[in-house]
Amino acid sequence: PVAGILGATLLSGPFVAGNDAGHAYNTWPKMIDDWVPPEWLTAAAAPLSRWRAFFEDTAVVQFDHRCLAYTSVLSTLALSAYAAAQPLAPAAAS
């Protein structure tokens, strides 16, 4: 699952670059004055009819990429914590 999330984050990056979304929304953590841009709320309200917004709308693409990045960091930290809590195999310990 972590590799899939990281892959989705990496794949969403070119959409940000192609839309110049990084230049349009270069404030952090808010996107200009909103935590969640209204364009994303509109697209998320009817995803089947507005599916192109997830690939073409500057605000939606940038917000999706940010959310995927946050999820990537949190899932990687959780996997690291889980791995650190596991005991070593006897062969690896010696």
Side-chain angles (χ1 to χ4, degrees):
V2 175
I5 293 169
L6 290 172
T9 304
L10 290 172
L11 289 174
S12 71
F15 291 104
V16 174
N19 286 328
D20 287 331
H23 294 294
Y25 293 95
N26 58 1
T27 57
W28 187 84
K30 288 186 176 183
M31 293 181 64
I32 302 187
D33 291 328
D34 299 312
W35 290 101
V36 178
E39 296 91 342
W40 188 87
L41 295 173
T42 303
L48 295 179
S49 63
R50 296 188 181 104
W51 64 271
R52 288 180 60 169
F54 291 97
F55 300 98
E56 297 176 352
D57 187 273
T58 302
V60 176
V61 168
Q62 176 72 357
F63 185 72
D64 288 342
H65 186 66
R66 285 185 185 193
C67 289
L68 283 167
Y70 299 143
T71 306
S72 294
V73 169
L74 293 176
S75 63
T76 302
L77 291 174
L79 179 62
S80 299
Y82 175 76
Q86 299 300 310
L88 284 176
S94 57

